[in-house]
Amino acid sequence: MGLSPGREAVAKPSDFRPPNMALTTLGLALASFMQVLDTTIANVSLPAISGNLGGSANQATWVITSFAVSTAIALPLTGWLTRHFGERKLFMWSTLAFVFASFLCGIAHSMGLLVVARALQGFVAGPMYPVTQALLLSIYPPAKRGQAIALLAMVTVVAPIAGPILGGWITDNYSWEWIFFINIPIGIFASTVVGRQLKGRPERLEKPKMDYVGLATLVVGVGALQVLLDLGNDEDWFASTMIVSLAVVSAIALSVFVIWELTDKDPIVNLRLFRHRNFRSGTIAMTVAYGAFFSVGILVPLWLQRNLGYTAIWAGFATAPIGILPVILTPFVGKYANRFDLRILASFAFIAMSLTSFARSHFNLDVDFPHVALVQLFQGLGVALFFMPVLQILLSDLEPHEIAAGSGLATFVRTLGGSFAASLTTYAWSERGAVHHAHMTERVSTLDPTAMEAVAQYGGGDLQRGAAVLEKMISNQAAQLGFNEIFHLLGIIFIGVILFVWLAKPPFGAKTGGAPAGGGH
């Protein structure tokens, strides 16, 4: 059971300070960076992995899918796990288990073993980010908690950007196994440092019963949904019997899960956290904005490679400037943000991200590298002001013992939002490109001698070669029009998110015991 009221008043986790705050922060940040990095580091290495292990391209995608599915299942379990084991032990064992799973990934000699190891890696990775957030908030005094949140926000932004670039460099210069082996020293260092620095930290431990119905429906519902979202585009969505079956299973399981968790006395996932106004509105704002932000991160590199002919590495360089301003501005945002109304900062962030989306909606196939990179750089201003204020808003009205569970639940919803966005964005781009392609080709008729003469000129007098050249030109232009339309819509979505931010009510400081500590005005 939990600590008695008298003892809890004397020894609260928020009263504990580690002997070396800088070293503890470094350990927590490195573990979080390592975990978030692994969500994208394998993406550009899939061809090398499939070639080395003898798997097909479709089998290789399960290296990504298995990690995403397992992480999505584990994230909402964070609250139950922290109640049972405590935040310090959960962090240590999750990090060490992540190291072990990374080692298994590196020594895997078949595609099947690698997929299983990635599934294990994703599952133990689930609690790492929310527990890191809870530990950082607890060891920093109330006046400096904005800096702790800003640090994690920077990790959330920079790690996914660095993943493909680092993964491509390691794969090209060494071998793909090292994208997993590099986690071993980092994880051991982080677990050891944090374990020693936080030794003696008071923990609010309980013995919650295992909610088997909630666990089973969560695993089945989220697993089916995540697989559906990851494979939907490849399987032509609801034209596929498998996708239809997954949708039915997911809908039934998640409906039972929500009803059961809201009515059970001791649920494995505390959905009642949504009773908090700021948590509810902040999570909605975070999910929608992150989904739009994730769409940008998916679509721009694909567009650069498919339509502008960039290599994976150069596409990474063109998109990387989005991380420059968050790295530079994060210390200042963390230090000074609470002097302002956090809703205003978040609104500025979404306006900046909206403007960059509208700018991309006017791109064409002749746009140059500096122009693409400059727009990415300016979007970084919005990103720098986005994560920290919204994270602090959504955590602001949670009780101290609810932070780990709330962070896990919000990250889970955000992750699902990103998965939906990735699937819908790539599907919409393909569909809108097909529509524009049909509109443009319907004006070219084989019965029109003038049109056929013009087509032949593209091929140097060869009609068949000219038709191939024209087809490529039309496909590129059609894809470009679809790209522009999607970014126009994303610009509108970023503006719309501002509404959800203003549904939250100050103060936005983290709670310490009973009263909020500082925050927005």
Side-chain angles (χ1 to χ4, degrees):
M1 300 300 292
L3 296 168
S4 65
R7 178 170 174 78
E8 193 175 13
V10 174
K12 294 184 295 185
S14 58
D15 293 333
F16 178 84
R17 298 289 176 268
N20 190 321
M21 185 73 80
L23 189 60
T24 308
T25 302
L26 176 64
L28 290 168
L30 280 176
S32 188
F33 186 85
M34 172 183 70
Q35 182 261 316
V36 178
L37 184 76
D38 267 54
T39 61
T40 60
I41 194 171
N43 293 14
V44 297
S45 304
L46 292 186
I49 292 172
S50 59
N52 185 254
L53 297 181
S56 66
N58 286 338
Q59 289 174 326
T61 60
W62 281 97
V63 174
I64 307 300
T65 301
S66 59
F67 184 92
V69 170
S70 298
T71 302
I73 291 171
L75 271 168
L77 300 178
T78 303
W80 188 90
L81 292 170
T82 54
R83 290 167 61 198
H84 194 279
F85 299 107
E87 291 161 349
R88 171 180 168 271
K89 285 185 178 179
L90 180 59
F91 174 87
M92 289 175 59
W93 290 112
S94 293
T95 305
L96 289 176
F98 190 87
V99 167
F100 177 68
S102 298
F103 174 74
L104 293 181
C105 289
I107 65 171
H109 53 77
S110 71
M111 189 64 72
L113 288 176
L114 178 59
V115 169
V116 171
R118 279 285 282 178
L120 173 63
Q121 188 189 39
F123 187 82
V124 299
M128 288 175 64
Y129 183 87
V131 169
T132 298
Q133 194 170 73
L135 288 172
L136 271 176
L137 285 175
S138 73
I139 63 174
Y140 274 81
K144 294 187 177 181
R145 284 177 186 165
Q147 297 177 43
I149 294 178
L151 175 65
L152 275 183
M154 182 179 69
V155 168
T156 305
V157 174
V158 174
I161 298 169
I165 298 174
L166 182 61
W169 183 81
I170 290 174
T171 302
D172 289 344
N173 290 278
Y174 297 95
S175 65
W176 65 265
E177 292 91 346
W178 284 97
I179 66 177
F180 300 112
F181 287 150
I182 60 171
N183 293 332
I184 295 174
I186 297 172
I188 292 174
F189 172 81
S191 180
T192 303
V193 165
V194 174
R196 289 181 177 177
Q197 290 292 316
L198 299 186
K199 189 175 183 180
R201 176 181 180 271
E203 298 276 8
R204 180 188 174 111
L205 296 179
E206 302 175 16
K207 295 295 181 183
K209 68 178 181 65
M210 174 54 72
D211 175 13
Y212 291 103
V213 174
L215 179 61
T217 52
L218 173 70
V219 171
V220 173
V222 173
L225 177 61
Q226 191 69 49
V227 172
L228 181 156
L229 293 172
D230 282 2
L231 302 183
N233 282 315
D234 296 333
E235 300 292 332
D236 197 20
W237 290 101
F238 294 103
S240 164
T241 303
M242 181 186 73
I243 295 297
V244 172
S245 301
L246 287 171
V248 171
V249 169
S250 177
I252 294 173
L254 289 178
S255 297
V256 174
F257 169 75
V258 171
I259 295 169
W260 182 269
E261 296 302 279
L262 289 175
T263 55
D264 191 59
K265 291 182 179 179
D266 195 10
I268 197 167
V269 179
N270 188 7
L271 297 179
R272 298 185 187 95
L273 292 175
F274 285 109
R275 73 185 185 276
H276 297 293
R277 177 174 183 154
N278 289 357
F279 180 75
R280 183 172 62 249
S281 57
T283 299
I284 295 172
M286 174 64 79
T287 302
V288 176
Y290 182 79
F293 170 71
F294 199 75
S295 296
V296 175
I298 289 286
L299 200 54
V300 171
L302 280 176
W303 167 73
L304 288 171
Q305 293 174 74
R306 291 181 183 177
N307 297 100
L308 270 63
Y310 283 48
T311 63
I313 292 296
W314 277 102
F317 288 143
T319 55
I322 196 174
I324 294 175
L325 289 180
V327 171
I328 295 173
L329 296 178
T330 288
F332 302 101
V333 173
K335 187 172 183 179
Y336 299 112
N338 283 329
R339 298 185 182 184
F340 305 92
D341 188 324
L342 296 180
R343 295 170 298 183
I344 294 177
L345 291 181
S347 298
F348 275 122
F350 296 137
I351 289 171
M353 295 169 86
S354 176
L355 290 175
T356 56
S357 296
F358 286 133
R360 293 189 190 95
S361 72
H362 296 287
F363 277 1
N364 56 51
L365 294 173
D366 295 323
V367 66
D368 57 16
F369 181 95
H371 198 168
V372 174
L374 189 62
V375 173
Q376 291 290 114
L377 178 67
F378 183 69
Q379 185 177 352
L381 175 63
V383 173
L385 298 174
F386 161 33
F387 281 95
M388 180 271 175
V390 178
L391 276 172
Q392 188 153 336
I393 286 172
L394 73 86
L395 295 174
S396 62
D397 55 358
L398 297 180
E399 298 297 331
H401 65 275
E402 294 177 327
I403 288 177
S407 178
L409 184 55
T411 306
F412 162 69
V413 177
R414 186 193 78 190
T415 301
L416 281 186
S419 297
F420 270 103
S423 296
L424 292 175
T425 299
T426 50
Y427 173 73
W429 189 30
S430 175
E431 287 299 301
R432 292 307 300 167
V435 169
H436 288 296
H437 186 280
H439 287 164
M440 284 189 278
T441 53
E442 68 184 11
R443 300 182 182 182
V444 181
S445 173
T446 56
L447 301 177
D448 184 346
T450 304
M452 290 302 98
E453 184 180 347
V455 170
Q457 289 178 358
Y458 283 121
D462 186 326
L463 183 61
Q464 188 173 1
R465 186 185 302 165
V469 172
L470 181 61
E471 167 62 23
K472 184 176 181 181
M473 290 172 58
I474 291 175
S475 296
N476 277 345
Q477 289 293 345
Q480 184 62 54
L481 290 173
F483 176 91
N484 294 350
E485 288 177 341
I486 291 172
F487 271 97
H488 185 81
L489 177 60
L490 290 175
I492 296 172
I493 290 173
F494 279 122
I495 291 294
V497 175
I498 295 174
L499 170 65
F500 295 109
V501 172
W502 285 90
L503 291 176
K505 295 294 182 184
F508 299 127
K511 289 187 178 180
T512 54
H521 303 289

